[in-house]
Amino acid sequence: MISIGSFQQLGRAIMLPMVVLPAAAIFLSLSQLPWDMVGLPGMSGYLQAASGAVFMFLPYIFAVGIALGMTGNALSAGMAALVGMFIYEGITGSVEAQIEPTVLIGTIIGVASGISHAQFKNLKLPEYIQFFGGPRFVPLFVSFISLIFSIGMVGVAPYLQRLLIDLGDIVASGGGFGVFLYGFVHRILVVFGLHHLVSHVFWFQIGGFETAAGEMVYGDLPRFFAGDPTAGSFMAGMYPTMMFALPAIAFAIIHEAREDLKPKIRKTFMYAALSSFLTGVTEPVEFAFLFVAPYLYVVHALLSGIIMWVTYELGIKHGFSFSGGAIDYLINEHLATRGWLLIPIGIVVGLVYYFLFRWAIRKFRIPTPGREEGSQLDEWAGDIPYRAPLILQAIGGKQNIVQMESCITRLRLKVSNEKLIDTNSLRNLGAAGVIKLGGGHVQVVFGTYSELIREEMSKTIKRDQAQVLFNSPMQGRMIPLEEVPDPIFAGKLVGQGVAFIPDRGELVSPVKGVVIHIYPTMHAIGIRTEEGLEVLLHIGIDTSKLAGKSYFNAVVKEGDEVVPGMLLIRFDLQRVKKESKSLATPMVITNSDLVHSWRFAPFKAVKKGQSSVLSVVLKERNGGGEAQ
């Protein structure tokens, strides 16, 4: 059965070929400059030719890009798609009524190559022809598929091309409501990462335009850059949303944050607002309120559709090569119709969004970031190499990952067991949201750091270092060991680690191991892990004096085997807090000489048993370097 998650891979794959389009738009824009005045009279022609070449070979770019995107950059799939396109053009170009390849054809052949790679990459043939087995079989198979497909298309392609033009006329006949509906559906599908699929239809398939050279181009985006005066309706309305509406939401979130958190929230959301304004990357802002106020997101989607309707009724035509940000707006303004109107419209939209969201956040007490229980959204690019192993643990470890890819703003995963994913840990590690689409398909929104995170996670998996992963031993707040009000622990004389301020009277095991010691007062416990690390958990400071009054009650005994999350000790939180120096609970490794390197999660609120609060890489047993 096909789930929604089954389409996310295609949605991500479609984005890969689209990254070349900004180059074409920039070349076309630069060609308008007065190159004759600087002694380069032929430069305009070269730039126009370069831009035209990108659009001319767009079907090939989509075929190869989608094939690579669906297979994790498998070269055999890319080669299969390229050969398939050559076969298609060779056959269709040999008939009397020549048929031009379109992005739709490129998409079909790209998808076929990706699926073929998944089916045959491990194919075993008899030994004497095994050379053609495995990935090498994919181009061969797709060649025959393309041959049959191309012969069939000779008969149906003219009707299909006519259908695309007629479909464009039908969509156009829907007027402003059709544009509104597209805008609304597009924003809703952003939640699932499937918006590229619906955009692909409108931007690259629907509607046809014959250029001055007699070539047919299809879709709102190629038609806009080819000079079609009717193109741009399905892109123009996105500029006010991305350049003004989303930044306005970011400012509303900043201004509704608590005073003590405003400096941090301001930094985070100013970056998010700038990203949306300049490049049209909206997820960091949208996911800040999506999960805590989904009804507000529906309102946002409706408003986005209305904005597109308004721009349509005003006759505004504008386009972009990547997204509706200021960079694309400026580069492509010379091709727009009444594009200047998008600025005053955007200012009005920004004001409406700002006051609407400030009112809604305050009226309905929406826990956006910076308020009491706001979601996590950090600026932590420099921490990526350190957090990647913790993110990997929160996903369930490398054994839980079937497939891992990334797009502009999110990790796209297929996992063996969705239940192993620790959503709270991922949020604590910087994720703006976690979306489970079914069938093991999961998306984790990390904003524009997603690709860097995927790369670091891949490095971690390949290194396969000997490391020990720690869960949170209690619910509360994690703090650096240096903040513990005790010179022995703060000075790391007992060992290196972290500490916690509990808000519940339960201590659970952070690791898998064996209980090696329980202090008579039961205020501290020692655990030895399978790797030989000795972990000390010490509830509170100066609590050894709290004896004989039932402050602590251990539910395990020495020699017991424990696993992460297993209850170790119950304690009377209020009495311990009243009669001890501090509730700070250190978790330290007393034989830290076995540890090569340390990775700490952000020092924030944690839940009992939450994964990915600490990770340590062990030294090699012979004492030299990292374990490989």
Side-chain angles (χ1 to χ4, degrees), residues 481-618:
L481 197 61
E482 294 82 355
E483 294 183 11
V484 174
D486 180 89
I488 303 297
F489 283 112
K492 303 178 183 178
L493 300 180
V494 179
Q496 169 70 294
V498 294
F500 302 84
I501 305 295
D503 55 30
R504 291 184 60 180
E506 293 181 330
L507 181 77
V508 301
S509 178
V511 290
K512 182 179 181 181
V514 178
V515 177
I516 57 175
H517 187 63
I518 299 177
Y519 286 74
T521 54
M522 302 186 198
H523 74 288
I525 186 170
I527 301 172
R528 181 183 292 116
T529 71
E530 295 175 322
E531 298 80 7
L533 294 181
E534 295 181 358
V535 183
L536 171 66
L537 297 157
H538 191 286
I539 303 172
I541 302 303
D542 290 345
T543 49
S544 59
K545 63 184 179 181
L546 303 179
K549 298 181 181 179
S550 300
Y551 288 91
F552 307 95
N553 177 33
V555 297
V556 293
K557 60 184 183 298
E558 293 180 5
D560 283 355
E561 294 185 356
V562 294
V563 295
M566 182 176 174
L567 182 63
L568 302 175
I569 298 173
R570 289 192 178 94
F571 58 97
D572 191 322
L573 181 69
Q574 296 305 320
R575 292 175 65 198
V576 173
K577 180 179 181 180
K578 181 179 180 182
E579 300 186 36
S580 66
K581 182 178 180 180
S582 170
L583 282 175
T585 300
M587 177 179 73
V588 298
I589 298 175
T590 57
N591 54 349
S592 299
D593 57 301
L594 298 181
V595 177
H596 177 272
S597 61
W598 304 74
R599 296 182 177 98
F600 303 95
F603 295 102
K604 299 178 179 178
V606 292
K607 292 184 177 181
K608 179 181 66 177
Q610 176 180 314
S611 64
S612 309
V613 298
L614 171 66
S615 170
V616 298
V617 176
L618 302 181

Side-chain angles (χ1 to χ4, degrees), residues 452-470:
L452 296 176
I453 292 170
R454 185 198 64 78
E455 290 179 0
E456 287 298 330
M457 288 174 62
S458 296
K459 291 177 184 177
T460 300
I461 292 172
K462 290 178 181 178
R463 282 195 297 262
D464 197 22
Q465 295 169 318
Q467 59 182 322
V468 182
L469 306 167
F470 288 75

Side-chain angles (χ1 to χ4, degrees), residues 297-316:
Y297 190 89
V298 174
V299 173
H300 164 53
L302 287 169
L303 288 175
S304 298
I306 291 172
I307 293 167
M308 293 198 69
W309 194 339
V310 169
T311 59
Y312 174 85
E313 294 297 341
L314 291 175
I316 301 172

